[in-house]
Amino acid sequence: MQTLHVKTKRRTQLLDITNEVARVVHSSGVKTGICFLYVPHTTGGILINEHADPDVASDAEGTFDRLVPVNPNYKHSEGNTDSHVKTILTGVSQFIFIENGKLLCRIRWPSGPPSLSIFNSAIPKHLDSPIVLKFL
C-alpha cells in the first residue's frame, strides 16, 4: 500500500491529482491491474471528473456549496456538517483500471481526458489528508 498526501487551499475545492497518482502507479511497476484509492478523512472524498475546462470544477464547487451550504443551524458542534454531507455525496473511494502501466481514466474523451479529483470540504479551510493507494 502507498500513500499520497494532498493539501487543498479552500473549504470547498476540487483538486486534480491525476498526475500524482499516475507517478505512483508508474513507480510501482504495476502493468495491469486495479488501483484502489481511498481517502480516510471524513471531510474529503475522491471522484473522477473532466478537467479540460477548469470551469467544470468551479461550477461543481459552487453547486456543492449551494446544495449544502455552511449553516450554523446544523446540530453537529464542530461547525462542519456541510463538509461531512458533501463527502457523503462524492464518496471516499475509486477503482481505476491500469493497463500497460497507465491509468485508464486518462482515455481521451471528446471534451478532454477524465481526471481524478480530490474533493475537500474541510475545517479549517484546507485539508492535509492522505490518499491510500492499493494495487490489486
Side-chain angles (χ1 to χ4, degrees), residues 55-101:
D55 288 339
V56 174
S58 177
D59 290 343
E61 292 167 359
T63 300
F64 278 124
D65 286 340
R66 282 189 304 281
L67 288 172
V68 189
V70 176
N71 183 337
N73 295 324
Y74 294 126
K75 294 177 184 174
H76 181 50
S77 64
E78 292 179 352
N80 63 347
T81 296
D82 65 304
S83 301
H84 291 284
V85 173
K86 291 170 188 171
T87 298
I88 291 167
L89 293 173
T90 61
V92 296
S93 64
Q94 291 290 327
F95 284 96
I96 309 294
F97 292 108
I98 301 168
E99 188 173 281
N100 299 319

Side-chain angles (χ1 to χ4, degrees), residues 15-92:
L15 180 67
D16 185 356
I17 60 165
T18 308
N19 291 334
E20 290 88 344
V21 173
R23 276 194 286 279
V24 172
V25 169
H26 177 76
S27 68
S28 75
V30 173
K31 298 296 179 199
T32 302
I34 297 171
C35 177
F36 174 69
L37 298 112
Y38 170 68
V39 180
H41 196 281
T42 60
T43 59
I46 191 164
L47 54 98
I48 297 174
N49 190 27
E50 173 241 299
H51 280 277
D53 179 353
D55 288 339
V56 174
S58 177
D59 290 343
E61 292 167 359
T63 300
F64 278 124
D65 286 340
R66 282 189 304 281
L67 288 172
V68 189
V70 176
N71 183 337
N73 295 324
Y74 294 126
K75 294 177 184 174
H76 181 50
S77 64
E78 292 179 352
N80 63 347
T81 296
D82 65 304
S83 301
H84 291 284
V85 173
K86 291 170 188 171
T87 298
I88 291 167
L89 293 173
T90 61
V92 296

